[in-house]
Amino acid sequence: MDELSYAESIDIALGPEALYDMVADVTRMGEWSPVCTGGWWDEGDGPREGAWFTGRNELPDRVWETRSRVVAADRPREFAFMVRGTWARWGYTFTAVDGGTRVTESWEFLPDGIAGFRERYGDDAPHQIEVRIGAARRGIPVTLTALKTSAEQGAAEERAAETG
């Protein structure tokens, strides 16, 4: 198996608070992710540690939903969640840099996820895990680039509206 974790960063010309708010709004993830088409909080919940949400994912050959639990909601520094509560960790950190924020997206496939895949897929588990590793490695840079484009365009539109 390839490495079971991956992270990549991008600098975005917007402040950490605004970027945190964008990413912590799981209902918007479908705007940036090549796989996740959106999400929704459990009724009455939101981006706080311990909150649960459902994410909808789509690939050409399948559609699925996952339940995730927020494990870090430290505005404006970090937002992270665990898929199925213990299977995989997705996280975003926000670090102020000259001209904006460095956003780092990270992913880690955890022991419970490996065990769950072995139970679910049997002999095909190693292949299924490799598929998930590849999807994360390809998807993270796509998500970060789309987030950058969306954030910077939105900021430019706001400035233009303010100057009239």
Side-chain angles (χ1 to χ4, degrees):
M1 265 183 270
D2 284 341
E3 189 68 34
L4 296 175
S5 62
Y6 184 73
E8 194 164 313
S9 300
I10 196 167
D11 290 352
I12 302 176
L14 195 64
E17 293 84 2
L19 287 162
Y20 177 95
D21 292 345
M22 289 175 74
V23 169
D25 181 356
V26 299
T27 67
R28 296 190 63 191
M29 191 53 69
E31 295 176 35
W32 313 300
S33 172
V35 176
C36 179
T37 59
W40 55 93
W41 294 103
D42 282 8
E43 188 172 332
D45 228 331
R48 64 167 185 81
E49 198 167 316
W52 284 84
F53 67 92
T54 300
R56 182 176 175 83
N57 304 285
E58 294 185 21
L59 290 173
D61 60 334
R62 65 189 272 248
V63 175
W64 73 102
E65 294 177 354
T66 59
R67 300 261 303 134
S68 296
R69 179 177 50 90
V70 176
V71 295
D74 182 15
R75 184 181 189 263
R77 291 182 272 298
E78 180 183 19
F79 181 77
F81 56 90
M82 302 274 275
V83 178
R84 293 181 155 250
T86 59
W87 282 35
R89 186 183 195 279
W90 286 91
Y92 299 84
T93 59
F94 309 89
T95 305
V97 295
D98 283 344
T101 304
R102 177 160 299 135
V103 179
T104 301
E105 181 177 5
S106 61
W107 166 85
E108 182 178 7
F109 202 43
L110 300 168
D112 283 355
I114 293 168
F117 268 56
R118 287 184 179 137
E119 182 178 317
R120 177 179 285 171
Y121 296 108
D123 292 341
D124 195 40
H127 169 73
Q128 293 297 325
I129 292 168
E130 288 295 332
V131 168
R132 298 323 183 279
I133 292 168
R137 288 180 177 271
R138 287 186 308 277
I140 286 174
V142 170
T143 301
L144 289 172
T145 299
L147 177 64
K148 176 181 176 76
T149 299
S150 177
E152 290 178 354
Q153 283 178 347
E157 290 168 5
E158 281 184 30
R159 283 191 303 273
E162 290 172 2
T163 59

